[in-house]
């Protein structure tokens, strides 16, 4: 590898670091956001940047909405869309329907251990995720 190749790899690495920093800044206030950290290394092929998603949570803020939840530490909310596809999210901005089911902003149903999560009016969800009536 000659000097031009090394310089080229360094420029690509610098651009990758800038892209990561830009994405982190743009998404810092997004619910459930997990920061990406750039780690650089020198290899025989030049400078290399690896992306690592942090497992730490962002700042937990009170929204004033009684149905919003937050995850501190590892974990995800399981949600199911209208087609039956199950996925995970860390965003805890939910809406409670009349029947007690919880939905996210995209209309996906929040799942509990045994199907859709139902939280009746007057019930609370404790810090361990249990519905307390």
């Amino acid at each position: 590898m000659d000097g031009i190749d090394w310089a080229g790899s360094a420029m690509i690495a610098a651009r990758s670091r800038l892209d990561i920093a830009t994405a982190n800044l743009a998404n810092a206030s997004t619910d459930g956001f997990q920061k990406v950290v750039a780690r650089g290394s020198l290899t025989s092929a030049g400078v290399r940047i690896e992306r690592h998603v942090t497992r730490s949570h962002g700042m937990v803020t009170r929204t004033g909405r009684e149905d919003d939840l937050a995850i501190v530490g590892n974990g995800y909310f399981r949600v199911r869309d209208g087609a039956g596809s199950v996925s995970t999210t860390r965003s805890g901005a939910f809406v409670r329907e009349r029947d007690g089911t919880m939905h996210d902003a995209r209309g996906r149903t929040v799942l509990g251990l045994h199907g859709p999560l139902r939280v009746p009016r007057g019930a609370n969800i404790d810090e361990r995720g249990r519905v307390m009536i």
Side-chain angles (χ1 to χ4, degrees):
M1 177 171 255
D2 65 14
I4 298 290
D5 292 331
W6 277 99
S9 73
M11 287 190 288
I12 291 169
R15 167 109 190 227
S16 293
R17 289 184 66 218
L18 183 60
D19 289 345
I20 291 168
T22 302
N24 283 338
L25 184 60
N27 292 298
S29 63
T30 302
D31 293 338
F33 171 69
Q34 290 182 310
K35 180 173 72 170
V36 175
V37 176
R39 296 218 171 104
S41 61
L42 288 175
T43 67
S44 59
V47 180
R48 181 175 175 206
I49 298 293
E50 293 180 4
R51 298 170 183 246
H52 297 280
V53 176
T54 62
R55 296 293 175 212
S56 62
H57 61 84
M59 202 165 90
V60 177
T61 57
R62 187 168 298 279
T63 65
R65 295 170 24 130
E66 78 172 350
D67 297 326
D68 285 354
L69 303 172
I71 295 176
V72 176
N74 293 332
Y76 295 91
F77 297 106
R78 288 183 335 118
V79 291
R80 183 174 54 215
D81 65 17
S85 178
V86 176
S87 58
T88 58
T89 182
R90 286 187 59 87
S91 177
F94 299 123
V95 174
R96 188 181 335 199
E97 300 298 329
R98 288 184 184 176
D99 65 355
T101 59
M102 306 285 281
H103 296 278
D104 69 1
R106 294 167 62 185
R108 300 177 297 182
T109 303
V110 180
L111 299 175
L113 291 176
H114 306 290
L117 178 65
R118 291 199 190 327
V119 182
R121 292 283 171 207
N124 293 311
I125 299 174
D126 72 5
E127 66 277 353
R128 301 188 96 170
R130 298 177 297 203
V131 176
M132 308 299 285
I133 298 175

